[in-house]
Amino acid sequence: MLIKSNRLICLLLTFLPSIFSYSQIVQIKGTVVDKNTQKPLQGVSIHVSKYKGSVTNNKGFFSIGVDTTTNTYQLSFSFIGYKKATISCLPNISNMIELVPTSSNLKEVIVSTRAKTLIERAIDKIPDNYPSKPFIINGIFRVYNIVNDSDYYYKADGVVKAFSPAYNEDNGKQQVKLIQNKFVLRENKLSKFYNTPTEKHTWVGQFYNIDDYVFNRPNYINKKHLKNYIYTEREKIIFEGRKVYVVDFESKTKKQVEGTIYLDTATLAFVKFDVTRYNVNGIFFVPIAIGTYSTTYQLISGKWYVKESQGESKYNTKHDAHYFRNFVTTSVDTNDVKSFDYQDVLQLGDENIKTLKEGNKDDWATYDSLFKKEEVAGNIPLMKVPNIDTTKTLKNKNVISALYKYLRSNNLRILYSLGKQPIDTKNSNYGSLAEYGLGLSIGFRLYRGLFFERGSKTFYGLGGISAFTNHYQLDYEFKVNKLHRPMYIMPYAGYAYTQIAKNKQNIDQSFKSWVFGVNLSIEMTRRRSFFIAPTYHYNYYQGGTYTGIEPTNFAFSIGYIFKR
C-alpha cells in the first residue's frame, strides 16, 4: 500500500509543474519589417492559433500573450502584398520578423484596368448569382471581447435567424432575430482596466448583421465609387473546389481599407471577401485601430448565400483590447418567408445582459453540439476562460465608472429640434425667422419614467434680432404599443425664459412663462425616436424695452430624441 502511495505521489509531482504552468501567460514581443527595405510594417496580422491574435502598430511592434509551456511558439504572420510566414518565436526577447514581398511580375499581377473590369462585371451579375426572393438564414454567432488577456473576458453565444430581402431590391434591409443566447463575463476588479467602463462591451447588438458584403454593397463593390480604389489581379487559384479570380484592392487616398476579393470564374459571383479597415471611428463606440474581416459564400440550388463570416478588431485604446466575432450558417429557408416584427430585430446598441433569452435548457444541448462541431472544424473560436479572482475588488469607487453606468442604462435623452418660439414679430420691424429656432435639450432620468429636462432654442440672429428661449421642466414618459414599434407620450410642465436682443451684449426685452405640453414620439431605432411637441406658455412677466415683439401662448418643436 505504501509503494502504491509513493507511486501516486511521484506521478503527481511529475505532472504538478505542467498543471501550474498551464495557466501561465508569457508575452511574445517583436517587430515586423519588410525584408528588402527593413522598414517597419503596420497592420500585420499575427496569430498564435486560428483565433488568438494581434496586429502590429505604426512602428511594426507587436506583443501577444500565449498560455503554453513550450520553449518556442509558432506565430503566423500575414499582410496584404507579402508572403504569409509561420515563424518560431521566443519569449522575453525582441523577435525580428522579416516578411518577403510577393512577386510583382506579370504572371502574378495583371494591370488594374482588367481587375476593375472584373469587379464591374461581377456587380452586374449579382441579380443572377444571388437570391431573387426573400430568404432566412439560420445560424450561430459567437462573440469575444478580451482585454489584457485576463483583465476582462466576455464570451457570448447566440442562435439567430437572419431575414434578407432579394438582392435586387434597393430598399430592402437585412434583419437578425435572436432565438436564444447565453454569455460568460469575467472581470479582474483589481486591474486598472476595471475603472475604464467605456471599453467594456456586452452588446448582443454585435449579432445585428451577418456581414453580407454583396447585399450591403460597400464602396469597393459599388460602381459609383470604384474610381476611389486601386484593383490588381493575381493568378487564379482553386478555392473550396472552384476556380476563382483573386483581386486585391486598396483605397487610393488615406489608408482606410484594403483587402482581397475572390470571384468564381464560371459565374463571376463574389465567393469571398478578406477586408482590413484602419482607424474606424463611430459615435458612442470605442474607435478601432485595425479590423480584419472575412466572409465566405456557398452555392445552394444555383444561388450564393453567406456561409460564414469572421471578424477581429483591435481597439484604439491604451489597453490591449480585442474583439472577435464569428457567424456560421446552419441552414437556409426560402419558403413562406416573412420579415420580423420590429421588437424582435436586433440593433447595434442592444446589450446582451438586457436581451437575455436563455430559453429551454434542453434546446441548448442541440445548439451546443452545433457550436462544438464548428469549433472542431475551425470556424468558431474557443478561448479559455481566464482564472480571475472575482471576490477581490478595489476599495475606491471610480466616479467616472459610476457615471458611465448611469448613462448607459437608458437614463439620458438628448433632443435635437426645430420649432417655433413663443414670440410674435408681426408688429415689429424684424423678420418672422426670429420666431423660429434650433433647439438642444438634455433630459436625465430621476425615477422610473420621471425626467428633468434642460434646453434652449435660438435662430442665432436670423430675422434681424436674436431670440433665445431657455426652459427647465419635468417630463413623465409613458410607453404605448409595446408589442410592436413603441410610441411614447411624455407630458411635461416647467418654466421658460425668453430673451430678445439686438446684439449679444444687451437684453432689450424678456418674457417669463409657465409651460405645459406633451411630447409625442415614435421609435425609429431603440436609440433614436422622432418626436413632435406642442407647448402652451402661460406668460406672467414681461420686462425690458418694448421692441414690437409680443409673447404668444403657443410654441412647438419637431426633431429627434437620442437615447443613452
Side-chain angles (χ1 to χ4, degrees):
M1 191 71 180
L2 182 61
I3 295 174
K4 289 184 178 180
S5 300
N6 289 337
R7 287 179 179 176
L8 180 61
I9 293 171
C10 291
L11 186 63
L12 288 173
L13 289 174
T14 301
F15 288 99
L16 195 59
S18 62
I19 292 172
F20 282 104
S21 61
Y22 177 75
S23 61
Q24 293 179 350
I25 295 177
V26 296
Q27 291 295 125
I28 307 296
K29 301 179 181 180
T31 303
V32 182
V33 299
D34 182 299
K35 184 174 183 178
N36 297 335
T37 65
Q38 293 298 301
K39 290 183 178 179
L41 298 176
Q42 178 184 6
V44 178
S45 296
I46 305 112
H47 287 271
V48 178
S49 64
K50 187 174 177 64
Y51 307 108
K52 175 66 176 176
S54 183
V55 291
T56 56
N57 63 13
N58 59 353
K59 296 181 180 180
F61 176 78
F62 70 91
S63 177
I64 184 170
V66 183
D67 55 349
T68 184
T69 57
T70 58
N71 294 325
T72 60
Y73 307 91
Q74 295 289 320
L75 271 62
S76 298
F77 299 83
S78 60
F79 192 52
I80 292 176
Y82 290 81
K83 294 181 179 179
K84 292 183 179 179
T86 300
I87 300 172
S88 296
C89 298
L90 296 173
N92 305 319
I93 67 168
S94 180
N95 296 272
M96 179 62 70
I97 310 299
E98 296 179 329
L99 293 188
V100 179
T102 54
S103 174
S104 59
N105 57 45
L106 291 178
K107 289 183 180 180
E108 184 173 359
V109 179
I110 304 175
V111 292
S112 59
T113 303
R114 170 177 155 81
K116 182 180 176 183
T117 301
L118 281 174
I119 299 298
E120 291 173 335
R121 290 170 59 196
I123 294 171
D124 291 336
K125 295 283 287 183
I126 287 176
D128 298 327
N129 288 323
Y130 298 86
S132 57
K133 63 179 183 179
F135 63 93
I136 286 178
I137 285 179
N138 303 293
I140 54 177
F141 260 115
R142 175 166 290 173
V143 165
Y144 284 100
N145 281 306
I146 298 176
V147 180
N148 299 336
D149 288 314
S150 60
D151 282 347
Y152 185 82
Y153 174 96
Y154 172 75
K155 170 193 171 187
D157 284 351
V159 181
V160 300
K161 289 181 177 291
F163 166 82
S164 177
Y167 280 67
N168 54 8
E169 293 180 5
D170 295 334
N171 297 323
K173 186 175 182 180
Q174 290 183 325
Q175 302 171 327
V176 175
K177 176 182 177 180
L178 181 65
I179 305 303
Q180 286 191 209
N181 68 314
K182 60 182 179 179
F183 67 92
V184 177
L185 177 62
R186 297 287 186 272
E187 296 183 80
N188 181 2
K189 297 179 181 180
L190 296 176
S191 74
K192 294 181 180 179
F193 173 78
Y194 185 68
N195 286 323
T196 312
T198 56
E199 297 174 31
K200 298 179 180 179
H201 302 161
T202 58
W203 298 317
V204 72
Q206 292 167 327
F207 299 158
Y208 83 110
N209 70 52
I210 58 175
D211 288 338
D212 188 343
Y213 289 93
V214 178
F215 185 88
N216 295 327
R217 307 284 181 91
N219 288 343
Y220 40 85
I221 57 169
N222 185 319
K223 280 191 173 182
K224 295 180 181 179
H225 302 283
L226 296 185
K227 62 181 181 295
N228 298 322
Y229 298 87
I230 298 172
Y231 300 88
T232 54
E233 183 189 357
R234 288 192 267 148
E235 284 187 328
K236 301 182 189 72
I237 64 170
I238 301 298
F239 176 73
E240 296 193 349
R242 299 182 70 94
K243 198 171 186 179
V244 298
Y245 297 110
V246 182
V247 177
D248 292 333
F249 72 92
E250 61 180 311
S251 49
K252 282 185 178 179
T253 53
K254 294 187 296 183
K255 191 174 183 181
Q256 296 175 325
V257 61
E258 62 185 1
T260 303
I261 299 171
Y262 301 79
L263 303 170
D264 183 58
T265 58
T267 62
L268 281 181
F270 296 96
V271 298
K272 187 181 181 184
F273 290 84
D274 289 328
V275 180
T276 301
R277 299 180 65 193
Y278 302 91
N279 301 315
V280 182
N281 296 302
I283 299 175
F284 302 131
F285 294 98
V286 179
I288 295 173
I290 183 170
T292 55
Y293 314 96
S294 177
T295 296
T296 303
Y297 294 80
Q298 59 186 331
L299 187 61
I300 301 175
S301 301
K303 299 294 182 180
W304 293 85
Y305 299 84
V306 170
K307 178 183 179 183
E308 61 187 27
S309 63
Q310 301 175 354
E312 177 185 348
S313 302
K314 178 173 174 53
Y315 294 110
N316 188 16
T317 67
K318 61 182 180 180
H319 299 283
D320 184 20
H322 290 263
Y323 157 59
F324 303 85
R325 179 177 183 269
N326 292 69
F327 170 80
V328 175
T329 296
T330 56
S331 63
V332 177
D333 296 333
T334 58
N335 297 322
D336 299 324
V337 172
K338 295 180 181 179
S339 60
F340 305 134
D341 189 83
Y342 172 83
Q343 286 289 0
D344 292 329
V345 177
L346 289 177
Q347 299 179 14
L348 181 59
D350 291 344
E351 291 193 56
N352 201 340
I353 294 174
K354 299 176 183 177
T355 318
L356 188 58
K357 292 185 178 181
E358 290 184 308
N360 192 317
K361 293 183 178 180
D362 294 336
D363 292 337
W364 270 116
T366 301
Y367 296 143
D368 284 339
S369 66
L370 292 176
F371 279 96
K372 179 62 68 176
K373 175 184 175 183
E374 298 303 330
E375 289 169 2
V376 173
N379 298 322
I380 290 285
L382 178 61
M383 299 183 187
K384 189 181 68 174
V385 179
N387 185 18
I388 298 174
D389 186 351
T390 58
T391 61
K392 297 180 180 180
T393 184
L394 295 174
K395 293 183 179 180
N396 61 315
K397 294 184 178 180
N398 191 298
V399 176
I400 296 177
S401 180
L403 178 61
Y404 180 77
K405 183 178 180 180
Y406 168 82
L407 294 178
R408 70 178 287 186
S409 300
N410 196 26
N411 291 319
L412 182 68
R413 301 285 187 269
I414 302 175
L415 294 80
Y416 296 95
S417 64
L418 171 66
K420 187 182 183 305
Q421 302 191 77
I423 59 175
D424 186 349
T425 61
K426 65 182 180 181
N427 295 326
S428 70
N429 296 322
Y430 306 107
S432 59
L433 278 177
E435 298 179 9
Y436 297 87
L438 299 174
L440 172 63
S441 302
I442 300 178
F444 299 91
R445 190 187 300 273
L446 301 179
Y447 179 72
R448 293 188 176 178
L450 183 63
F451 287 80
F452 170 75
E453 182 180 320
R454 162 73 172 91
S456 62
K457 188 183 298 178
T458 181
F459 224 151
Y460 303 98
L462 295 180
I465 199 168
S466 295
F468 297 86
T469 298
N470 301 298
H471 69 265
Y472 306 83
Q473 63 192 44
L474 291 176
D475 316 332
Y476 199 92
E477 181 181 80
F478 296 94
K479 184 177 181 180
V480 297
N481 198 34
K482 296 180 181 180
L483 298 179
H484 301 286
R485 187 181 295 271
M487 294 182 288
Y488 299 89
I489 300 173
M490 185 180 288
Y492 53 85
Y495 161 82
Y497 178 57
T498 301
Q499 300 175 340
I500 309 297
K502 295 179 182 178
N503 55 60
K504 295 182 179 180
Q505 285 73 36
N506 300 316
I507 304 300
D508 295 285
Q509 197 173 2
S510 61
F511 310 111
K512 297 179 181 180
S513 60
W514 300 112
V515 297
F516 307 91
V518 60
N519 183 308
L520 306 172
S521 65
I522 183 171
E523 273 193 12
M524 310 307 291
T525 71
R526 279 187 273 279
R527 296 286 183 175
R528 186 179 74 251
S529 299
F530 175 79
F531 79 91
I532 181 168
T535 306
Y536 177 80
H537 287 254
Y538 177 78
N539 298 291
Y540 68 88
Y541 171 83
Q542 179 174 341
T545 305
Y546 181 67
T547 61
I549 296 177
E550 300 285 350
T552 63
N553 298 118
F554 178 74
F556 71 88
S557 297
I558 60 173
Y560 282 98
I561 301 174
F562 293 87
K563 306 174 185 179
R564 286 292 293 161

